Amino acid sequence: MSSDAAMPKPTPAQVIESMLALLGDRDPLEVMKCTGAALGAACAGLDDAALRTPEAPGKWSVIEVVKHLGDAELVFAVRFRCILAEPNSAMSAINADAWSTRLRYVEADLAAALAQFNAVREINLRFLQGLSEAEWNASYTHSMRGKETLRQSARIYAAHDLSHLAQIERIKQRVTSSCA
C-alpha cells in the first residue's frame, strides 16, 4: 500500500486554501489575462502521445486538463452572470471527472480546446472588467464552499488557472521522463 493511500483526501476548503496560496496577492484579472498564452506555451511541442497520456492510471492527461479549463470557463461565464442576475442563488459544483469521462476530453482537438478557452475567457474578462464595486460584492451559495462573493469566485478561478498550469507541467515531466 502506498503512502498516498493512507493520506486522507483534502476537504474542499483545504483544496481552495492550497490553490489560493498559488495566487497569493496577485490581481486575479491579471492572472486570468495571462492564462491563455501560458496554456498555449505549456502545450507547445507536445506530440499527440504525450498530449493524451495520463500522468498515472486514473489521472488526467494534458489534453484533459486543457479541455477541462475550456469547459470550466463556460461554467464560470454562467456562474458570474447568475451571481449578478440572481443574487443569493444556490449553484452546484460540477463533477470534473464525470465531465472528462462522459464528454470524452481525451479525444479533444488541442487547437479547438485552446480556441474555446481563449474565446470564452476574453468574454469573461470583458464582463468582469466592467463590474462596479457593488457588483464585485454580490454573493451566491456554492454547494461545496458555501457563501461566496463574485470577488472571491474570481480569486478562486484565477487560482484554478494556476493550479492547472502547474498540473500540466507536472504531467509533462512525468510523461516525457517515462518515455526517455
Side-chain angles (χ1 to χ4, degrees), residues 44-138:
L46 288 178
D47 65 24
D48 198 60
L51 190 66
R52 297 177 195 289
T53 301
E55 66 180 302
K59 299 290 186 178
W60 284 0
S61 64
V62 170
I63 190 64
E64 289 169 296
V65 175
V66 173
K67 188 62 180 152
H68 163 72
L69 285 167
D71 278 358
E73 199 64 22
L74 292 168
V75 171
F76 301 159
V78 172
R79 190 165 286 165
F80 290 148
R81 287 153 182 82
C82 285
I83 293 169
L84 291 183
E86 303 171 35
N88 301 310
S89 58
M91 291 183 228
S92 297
I94 66 166
N95 180 335
D97 287 328
W99 283 48
S100 178
T101 300
R102 293 185 184 138
L103 302 178
R104 297 182 301 280
Y105 284 1
V106 76
E107 297 172 19
D109 175 77
L110 177 62
L114 290 169
Q116 174 189 325
F117 175 83
N118 287 320
V120 181
R121 173 56 60 91
E122 182 179 329
I123 291 165
N124 283 339
L125 282 170
R126 275 194 307 248
F127 174 79
L128 292 170
Q129 290 166 338
L131 295 177
S132 69
E133 188 62 28
E135 289 170 326
W136 277 108
N137 292 318

Side-chain angles (χ1 to χ4, degrees), residues 158-169:
H160 178 261
D161 287 358
L162 296 173
S163 176
H164 283 303
L165 286 168
Q167 179 185 18
I168 287 172
E169 291 306 319

Side-chain angles (χ1 to χ4, degrees), residues 9-28:
K9 184 175 179 175
T11 67
Q14 290 169 325
V15 170
I16 295 299
E17 183 179 330
S18 173
M19 286 185 356
L20 287 172
L22 292 173
L23 181 63
D25 62 359
R26 288 184 275 181
D27 178 344

